[in-house]
């Protein structure tokens, strides 16, 4: 019997998938890349973006049609808003929060051999439960607290998707309650993973010669704040990882995403600057360059606070690349406020910015407000800001020409004519070579040309 999982959303969902796979495989299922040949199909959903939720409904509609002629069992987990969860309970056979992943085998086993009869749905699309225990489990999953058993989830040994790049979750949930964001309602309040477990997982990856390791959390640099006096701080966690790398004598880079400006301390930046194996790339979301918009977003930081952090990064880690997240067209954003965001794009000269057009998410505070910026205006602002980003990114990339960089080779490009990789600053590199034995290794590349968002070079 085979299974397939569709993973939507951020790196956290990708990491969650790596822990979902071994749980399913322990009861005899085998992975397939072809969902049409799978008898168990699931989705790690993302309620943060409407497009991702639209994909969930599109896929479950397709799967439920398949049930008319073949055996199929469906499940959904991941980041799910309460309003979406209520609908999913009627559409999917199994719905559960990620913290209850260890319950999934029992839920699947309670179905036994999946047949069209046992999965027959009534006209409302609700499953007819033949087994009382299955109904009990499903009702339990629907009522569970989001982070009730995260410790059990973190104990699951992941099946890493790559042999040289890995995600390590260190924290789950968020306490910031930005008005545009649904994460506190989909993943719950902040919970920090025990540092002993984090360090053990990172050490095992170092031992396996992984080249790129990313520490994950919805608010990653708030690590330990929910366990003051019981856990080490985020800078101390980085320091201990830095020492592990130092003792190993191996070459690799450790990153973290995504931090919040409110919790970004000088100490954390100092630690990154002190250890060669802590990647010199900082992803620091600003969301808007206007203080009044930041207040409406409940970001709990000002542009000046952010400016001081960037100044410290530039002073202590001058070679670091700077990435950010920005929302355009947030409720009430005026032309003048948008221009302030354009100004900070020019001031901070980002290497990369992930720009999103604001959309309301049910459950988030701003969903109760009138979305008064027309779609056409959002789209126009998005394109203008993207054009600004192209100029700053291209300027950085142009300066790389003639210089040699260490690059992690990640694979072949689609046409197979070039290798692709990432610098320590996570700049995309096209390499004039096709030797697949280099994938997963670090190589020296001299940069010979650039585009707005990438560079190209030759092996040394």
């Amino acid at each position: 019997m085979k299974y397939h999982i569709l993973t939507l959303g951020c790196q956290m969902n990708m990491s969650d998938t790596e822990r979902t796979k071994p749980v399913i495989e322990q009861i005899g299922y085998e992975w397939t890349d072809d969902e049409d040949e799978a008898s168990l199909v699931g989705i790690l959903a993302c309620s943060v973006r409407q497009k991702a939720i639209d994909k969930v409904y599109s896929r479950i509609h397709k799967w439920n049609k398949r049930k008319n002629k073949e055996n199929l069992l469906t499940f959904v987990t991941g980041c799910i808003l309460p309003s979406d969860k209520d609908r999913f309970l009627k559409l999917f056979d199994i719905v559960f929060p990620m913290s209850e992943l260890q319950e999934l085998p029992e839920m699947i086993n309670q179905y036994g051999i999946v047949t069209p009869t046992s999965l027959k749905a009534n006209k409302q699309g609700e499953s007819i439960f033949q087994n009382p225990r299955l109904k009990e489990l499903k009702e339990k999953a629907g009522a569970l607290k989001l982070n009730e058993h995260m410790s059990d989830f973190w104990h699951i040994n992941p099946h890493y998707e790559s042999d040289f790049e890995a995600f390590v979750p260190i924290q789950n949930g968020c306490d910031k309650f930005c008005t545009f964001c649904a994460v506190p309602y989909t993943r719950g309040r902040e919970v920090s993973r025990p540092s002993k477990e984090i360090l053990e997982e990172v050490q095992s990856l170092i031992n396996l010669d992984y080249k790129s390791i990313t520490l994950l959390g919805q608010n990653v640099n708030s690590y330990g704040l929910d366990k003051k006096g019981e856990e080490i701080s985020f800078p101390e966690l980085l320091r201990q990882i830095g020492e592990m790398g130092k003792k190993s004598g191996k070459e690799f880079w450790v990153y973290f995403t995504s931090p919040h400006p409110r919790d970004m301390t000088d100490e954390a930046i100092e630690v990154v600057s002190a250890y060669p194996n802590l990647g010199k790339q900082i992803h620091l979301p600003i969301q808007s360059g206007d203080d009044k918009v930041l207040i409406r977003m409940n970001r709990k930081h000002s542009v000046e606070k952010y400016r001081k952090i960037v100044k410290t990064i530039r002073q202590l880690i001058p070679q670091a690349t700077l990435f950010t997240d920005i929302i355009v067209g947030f409720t009430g954003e005026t032309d003048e406020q948008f221009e302030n965001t354009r100004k900070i794009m020019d001031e901070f000269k980002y290497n990369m910015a992930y720009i999103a057009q604001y959309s309301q998410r049910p459950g988030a505070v701003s969903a109760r407000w009138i979305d008064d910026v027309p779609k056409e205006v959002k789209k126009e602002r998005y394109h203008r800001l993207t054009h600004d980003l192209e100029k700053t990114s291209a300027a950085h990339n142009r300066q790389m020409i003639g210089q040699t960089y260490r690059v992690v080779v990640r694979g072949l490009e689609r046409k197979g004519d070039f290798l692709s990789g990432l610098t320590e600053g996570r700049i995309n590199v096209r390499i004039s070579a096709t030797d697949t034995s280099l994938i997963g290794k670090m190589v020296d590349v001299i940069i010979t040309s650039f585009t707005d968002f990438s560079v190209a070079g030759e092996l040394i």
Side-chain angles (χ1 to χ4, degrees):
M1 299 176 71
K2 297 183 178 182
Y3 77 99
H4 180 85
I5 299 173
L6 173 65
T7 304
L8 304 172
C10 67
Q11 292 169 324
M12 184 64 79
N13 270 9
M14 295 170 63
S15 176
D16 289 348
T17 298
E18 293 179 340
R19 280 173 161 75
T20 303
K21 287 185 174 182
V23 170
I24 294 174
E25 289 169 6
Q26 75 182 17
I27 55 174
Y29 282 86
E30 295 181 2
W31 170 264
T32 176
D33 290 325
D34 184 359
E35 67 178 65
D36 291 333
E37 67 177 17
S39 58
L40 173 65
V41 288
I43 298 177
L44 266 77
C46 172
S47 286
V48 176
R49 294 283 182 268
Q50 185 60 47
K51 286 184 178 179
I53 287 298
D54 291 343
K55 288 181 181 179
V56 176
Y57 286 111
S58 174
R59 199 57 58 95
I60 189 58
H61 178 70
K62 173 185 174 183
W63 291 344
N64 283 337
K65 276 189 174 181
R66 281 179 57 192
K67 287 184 180 181
N68 294 326
K69 55 183 178 180
E70 58 186 292
N71 298 336
L72 189 66
L73 186 65
T74 63
F75 71 84
V76 65
T77 183
C79 288
I80 303 174
L81 285 165
S83 58
D84 289 321
K85 183 186 70 176
D86 291 341
R87 298 186 188 100
F88 291 165
L89 284 167
K90 298 178 181 180
L91 297 171
F92 287 85
D93 299 308
I94 300 172
V95 181
F96 64 96
M98 188 51 64
S99 59
E100 291 299 308
L101 176 59
Q102 64 275 11
E103 293 270 15
L104 182 57
E106 184 178 359
M107 292 182 182
I108 293 173
N109 286 334
Q110 291 299 331
Y111 270 96
I113 299 175
V114 185
T115 67
T117 301
S118 65
L119 294 177
K120 185 178 180 182
N122 63 19
K123 292 181 181 179
Q124 285 71 42
E126 298 175 339
S127 297
I128 297 175
F129 295 98
Q130 308 291 328
N131 189 311
R133 174 60 179 154
L134 180 60
K135 185 175 182 179
E136 175 189 337
L137 285 169
K138 189 166 183 178
E139 289 176 347
K140 176 185 176 184
L144 276 170
K145 295 179 180 178
L146 294 172
N147 285 329
E148 191 170 358
H149 296 118
M150 281 307 298
S151 59
D152 294 333
F153 168 78
W154 284 323
H155 286 156
I156 297 169
N157 291 322
H159 283 189
Y160 301 111
E161 293 293 314
S162 167
D163 294 329
F164 58 91
E165 296 177 313
F167 300 118
V168 177
I170 72 168
Q171 173 255 19
N172 190 72
C174 184
D175 288 348
K176 293 298 184 285
F177 290 92
C178 298
T179 56
F180 58 80
C181 185
V183 168
Y185 312 101
T186 63
R187 285 191 176 266
R189 303 300 292 270
E190 289 177 8
V191 178
S192 295
R193 183 183 181 188
S195 57
K196 181 176 182 292
E197 295 178 12
I198 298 168
L199 295 171
E200 286 175 350
E201 185 171 352
V202 172
Q203 184 64 64
S204 70
L205 292 167
I206 295 172
N207 295 342
L208 291 169
D209 288 327
Y210 272 70
K211 300 304 180 187
S212 177
I213 302 168
T214 302
L215 308 180
L216 290 181
Q218 273 74 39
N219 198 36
V220 69
N221 58 336
S222 69
Y223 176 82
L225 295 182
D226 61 311
K227 297 180 179 178
K228 285 185 177 180
E230 301 175 22
E231 261 303 349
I232 61 177
S233 65
F234 181 67
E236 179 59 25
L237 179 67
L238 293 178
R239 183 178 289 110
Q240 292 193 27
I241 291 173
E243 287 295 328
M244 288 164 55
K246 192 175 179 181
K247 291 176 182 177
S248 75
K250 296 185 177 184
E251 187 178 21
F252 62 94
W253 297 318
V254 175
Y255 304 93
F256 54 89
T257 193
S258 289
H260 192 291
R262 182 182 177 186
D263 298 324
M264 182 60 81
T265 63
D266 288 353
E267 184 184 4
I269 299 169
E270 289 166 1
V271 173
V272 172
S273 71
Y275 292 94
N277 61 290
L278 297 182
K280 304 305 182 281
Q281 179 255 3
I282 305 294
H283 186 161
L284 191 65
I286 190 170
Q287 303 300 359
S288 173
D290 183 86
D291 281 335
K292 289 183 179 180
V293 174
L294 290 174
I295 290 171
R296 288 202 304 277
M297 289 180 167
N298 195 36
R299 286 292 290 168
K300 300 181 175 72
H301 70 83
S302 64
V303 173
E304 182 57 30
K305 160 76 172 175
Y306 189 95
R307 182 176 288 115
K308 289 178 180 178
I309 297 171
V310 173
K311 182 179 180 181
T312 302
I313 293 171
R314 300 299 192 202
Q315 289 177 339
L316 299 181
I317 325 173
Q319 73 274 38
T321 55
L322 185 63
F323 289 28
T324 196
D325 297 336
I326 295 175
I327 296 172
V328 296
F330 184 67
T331 298
E333 183 186 63
T334 64
D335 289 339
E336 181 182 356
Q337 289 168 340
F338 170 68
E339 288 302 318
N340 286 336
T341 297
R342 295 189 68 197
K343 288 177 183 177
I344 63 98
M345 179 71 78
D346 180 64
E347 177 183 353
F348 299 135
K349 301 188 185 305
Y350 296 106
N351 295 83
M352 178 55 64
Y354 300 100
I355 305 168
Q357 299 176 51
Y358 171 71
S359 62
Q360 291 179 317
R361 297 308 302 130
V365 172
S366 65
R368 302 196 296 264
W369 304 342
I370 297 174
D371 186 5
D372 56 0
V373 180
K375 289 183 179 180
E376 296 75 17
V377 174
K378 292 177 184 177
K379 186 175 181 179
E380 190 267 341
R381 289 177 183 175
Y382 170 83
H383 287 301
R384 288 174 67 189
L385 201 61
T386 298
H387 180 65
D388 293 342
L389 173 64
E390 288 171 352
K391 291 190 291 185
T392 61
S393 176
H396 285 295
N397 295 345
R398 183 184 297 109
Q399 294 173 2
M400 295 173 68
I401 293 179
Q403 299 186 52
T404 299
Y405 290 83
R406 293 293 278 169
V407 174
V408 173
V409 182
R410 306 183 73 212
L412 279 171
E413 291 196 343
R414 288 184 180 180
K415 294 183 179 180
D417 297 333
F418 299 90
L419 291 172
S420 63
L422 289 174
T423 66
E424 180 180 2
R426 302 190 73 78
I427 301 300
N428 287 301
V429 183
R430 169 187 273 193
I431 307 167
S432 297
T434 57
D435 183 359
T436 55
S437 69
L438 296 177
I439 295 174
K441 297 180 180 179
M442 284 190 177
V443 298
D444 288 322
V445 177
I446 184 168
I447 305 304
T448 57
S449 63
F450 76 97
T451 67
D452 291 338
F453 297 118
S454 66
V455 294
E458 299 177 355
L459 291 171
I460 298 294

